[in-house]
Amino acid sequence: MAEQKTATLTIDGKSYELPIHSPTAGPDVIDIRKLYGQAGVFTYDPGFTSTAACDSTITFIDGDKGELLHRGYPIDQLASDSHYLEVCYALLYGDLPSAEQLETFESLVTNHTMLHEQMANFFRGFRRDAHPMAIMVGVVGAMSAFYHDSTDINDPHQREVATIRLIAKMPTIAAWAYKYTIGQPFVYPRNDLDYASNFLRMCFAVPAEDYEVNPILARAMDRIFTLHADHEQNASTSTVRLASSSGANPFACVAAGIACLWGPAHGGANQACLEMLKEIGSVDRIPEFIARAKDKNDSYRLMGFGHRVYKNFDPRATVMKESADEVLELLGVENNPLLQVAMELEKQALADPYFAEKKLFPNVDFYSGIILEAMGFPTSMFTPIFAMARTVGWISQWKEQLDDPQLKIGRPRQLYCGMTARDYVDIEKR
C-alpha cells in the first residue's frame, strides 16, 4: 500500500498534518475536514474555485488539455458516435449500455414523456410574456405536487422513477413553455419518435398541418443535448447538490438547478453570442469589433470565443461545428443577416493570429447558438434547452450524492467582517 501523503500547515509556530488524497485524474486534494477542530481556523475560498466539495466518478474536465470525459468516455467520441439517451444511461449507471439495456431505457423514457393533464392548467397561470425559464422553474418545482410516488429520496425505487420522469418530461415542459409564450396550442409527445425529434415536433408542429422532422436537424439537436449533458461541479450542479444535501425532493432540487442556470454568467452564454451578433449587425462591421476585442484598453470581448474552463480549446466545439455546418447548408443563411455575420466572424477570427495565439477559438456556445437561431428558436429558449439537456447531469450527481456515506448538509463557513457585539439602543435615543 502506498504511503499516505500529508501536507504540513504551521500556524503560530504549531504544525498540523493534513491528509492528501490522490484522484484517478486531476490534482491532489488536501483534506481540511478536521482543520477547524484541530486549529480553530477555516479556509477562505470565494467561489469555491480551489475547493473540492465532493468526490465523484461521473465527469472529469482537464481545462489545460481541453479534455472532457463522461465516465471515462471522451465527449467528442460520444457526440460523434453515440446519442443523447445512450449518454444519459452512461452518466446515470456508469457504463455505456448493452443493446438490450438501451432498448429498455429508451422505452422507459419514451413512455413517461406525457405530463399529468392538470399540469396544462398550471402553464396557463403564467402571463403570456413570461420567460420560458420562469415557467420551467415553476412547473418543475410543481412536479412534486403531482407525482407523490417519486419524492421519497430514501426509497431506491422512487429515486429511479423520479430519474426517468425528469429526463422524459423535461422536453415536454420546455416545449410547452415555448408554445405558451407564442400563443400556440400544446403539442403532445409521440411514442414513435426519438428524443430529439419529439422535442422539435412539440416545439414547431401545429394542429393545422403535418410536421416532418428533418433528420439533420434532429441529429444537431441531439448533439446539443449530448454536449450539454454534464459539466462536472459547475454552479447549477453544485446548487442541485446543495439543495439535495438538505433532503429536498428531486423535483425541488432540479428546479433549484434551473434557477441557477438562468443566470447569464452560466446558462446564458449562447444567448449572449446571439446578442453580440445582433450588436455587430452586419458583415462590414466585423473588423471594427475584432479590433475592439484585440484592444487591451477596451473591455469589449467577443462572446463565444475562448472558455473559462478550457484554456486550450473546447473539446465540444469541433463536433458542434460539424452540425452547425450541416444545418446551415440545409437551411441556408441567405435570408438571415445574423447567421451571415456569424459565419464571417468565425472566418475572420480563425484567420487572425491574435486569436490563435490567445487560444480564443469558437466554443460550443458559439456554434449551438448559431444552430438554434437557424432552427427558428428565439434566444429566450436557448437556456431552457440547456436546462433540458443538463437535467440528466443534475440527476446523476443527485443520485451519486445520496449514495455517498459521507453525505452531510451543505454549510459553508464565512469570513465575518461586520460589527462585533453591541447593545440595543431605544429608538428615542438613536
Side-chain angles (χ1 to χ4, degrees):
M1 181 179 293
E3 183 179 350
Q4 172 70 56
K5 294 190 291 186
T6 60
T8 302
L9 174 66
T10 302
I11 303 174
D12 295 332
K14 188 173 182 180
S15 296
Y16 304 90
E17 296 295 317
L18 304 174
I20 296 178
H21 303 301
S22 296
T24 54
D28 286 350
V29 175
I30 300 174
D31 187 340
I32 60 167
R33 283 176 291 180
K34 296 182 179 180
L35 180 60
Y36 177 60
Q38 293 176 348
V41 297
F42 301 139
T43 55
Y44 182 62
D45 183 22
F48 307 111
T49 55
S50 297
T51 299
C54 64
D55 52 58
S56 180
T57 62
I58 299 172
T59 298
F60 174 72
I61 297 171
D62 188 322
D64 293 329
K65 292 181 180 178
E67 184 178 65
L68 170 60
L69 307 176
H70 290 328
R71 300 292 190 180
Y73 303 108
I75 188 61
D76 55 333
Q77 293 181 22
L78 293 174
S80 295
D81 304 327
S82 186
H83 64 275
Y84 181 65
L85 286 185
E86 188 173 37
V87 173
C88 286
Y89 187 98
L91 287 170
L92 289 167
Y93 305 114
D95 296 293
L96 288 172
S98 66
E100 183 180 355
Q101 289 171 329
L102 180 59
E103 182 180 0
T104 300
F105 181 71
E106 288 180 330
S107 178
L108 278 172
V109 171
T110 299
N111 286 288
H112 280 82
T113 52
M114 289 187 65
L115 297 177
H116 192 292
E117 189 61 21
Q118 265 189 288
M119 293 191 77
N121 298 326
F122 199 83
F123 282 83
R124 296 185 177 99
F126 292 95
R127 284 172 52 121
R128 283 285 179 182
D129 59 356
H131 194 289
M133 283 294 277
I135 297 175
M136 288 188 72
V137 169
V139 172
V140 173
M143 288 178 72
S144 57
F146 289 86
Y147 302 106
H148 304 292
D149 60 343
S150 53
T151 57
D152 184 355
I153 64 171
N154 297 310
D155 183 338
H157 175 71
Q158 291 201 28
R159 291 207 299 264
E160 194 65 23
V161 173
T163 294
I164 299 298
R165 279 179 170 158
L166 278 160
I167 294 170
K169 299 180 190 304
M170 200 63 75
T172 309
I173 293 171
W176 283 19
Y178 172 58
K179 283 296 195 183
Y180 184 77
T181 59
I182 61 174
Q184 291 186 2
F186 297 145
V187 175
Y188 288 80
R190 272 186 16 194
N191 288 358
D192 61 325
L193 296 176
D194 63 75
Y195 195 84
S197 298
N198 221 344
F199 174 66
L200 288 172
R201 181 181 174 276
M202 286 190 289
C203 285
F204 296 120
V206 292
E209 59 187 43
D210 291 332
Y211 177 81
E212 293 294 329
V213 181
N214 187 290
I216 292 177
L217 300 186
R219 177 60 174 153
M221 182 57 70
D222 189 86
R223 278 184 169 176
I224 288 177
F225 296 161
T226 298
L227 294 169
H228 290 87
D230 194 50
H231 211 236
E232 215 196 75
Q233 305 306 318
N234 53 77
S236 59
T237 298
S238 298
T239 298
V240 171
R241 278 183 170 266
L242 188 61
S244 171
S245 75
S246 72
N249 71 71
F251 307 112
C253 294
V254 171
I258 295 171
C260 181
L261 189 71
W262 194 358
H266 188 10
N270 50 12
Q271 180 173 338
C273 294
L274 265 292
E275 290 170 351
M276 173 196 69
L277 297 176
K278 291 176 183 177
E279 182 185 3
I280 295 174
S282 60
V283 171
D284 60 291
R285 297 191 66 199
I286 291 176
E288 169 193 344
F289 285 84
I290 285 182
R292 288 187 60 190
K294 293 163 63 175
D295 185 354
K296 63 181 181 180
N297 296 317
D298 192 326
S299 60
Y300 180 81
R301 62 190 182 95
L302 295 178
M303 303 302 295
F305 287 78
H307 195 280
R308 179 186 176 189
V309 174
Y310 301 108
K311 308 305 180 186
N312 193 346
F313 67 94
D314 186 341
R316 303 167 296 174
T318 303
V319 180
M320 200 78 271
K321 174 176 168 53
E322 291 177 7
S323 285
D325 291 341
E326 291 171 359
V327 168
L328 294 182
E329 183 179 355
L330 173 69
L331 301 178
V333 299
E334 299 82 8
N335 300 317
N336 192 322
L338 209 61
L339 295 178
Q340 293 173 9
V341 171
M343 292 297 92
E344 184 60 27
L345 176 61
E346 177 200 30
K347 180 180 177 182
Q348 292 191 27
L350 289 176
D352 192 316
Y354 174 87
F355 291 92
E357 292 169 5
K358 299 287 186 181
K359 302 188 186 304
L360 296 175
F361 304 111
N363 61 33
V364 69
D365 300 308
F366 181 81
Y367 292 117
S368 62
I370 289 173
I371 291 171
L372 295 175
E373 165 69 20
M375 286 181 177
F377 284 104
T379 53
S380 61
M381 273 299 293
F382 288 10
T383 314
I385 290 171
F386 189 168
M388 183 177 69
R390 182 55 56 84
T391 295
V392 68
W394 291 332
I395 289 298
S396 299
Q397 302 273 348
W398 170 77
K399 289 182 67 179
E400 180 181 65
Q401 183 182 37
L402 290 179
D403 288 331
D404 186 351
Q406 300 180 98
L407 173 61
K408 294 181 179 180
I409 186 170
R411 181 60 173 88
R413 299 294 189 169
Q414 66 177 11
L415 173 64
Y416 179 69
C417 301
M419 295 292 296
T420 55
R422 51 180 172 169
D423 293 329
Y424 175 83
V425 179
D426 290 337
I427 193 167
E428 295 83 4
K429 299 179 181 178
R430 291 178 216 162

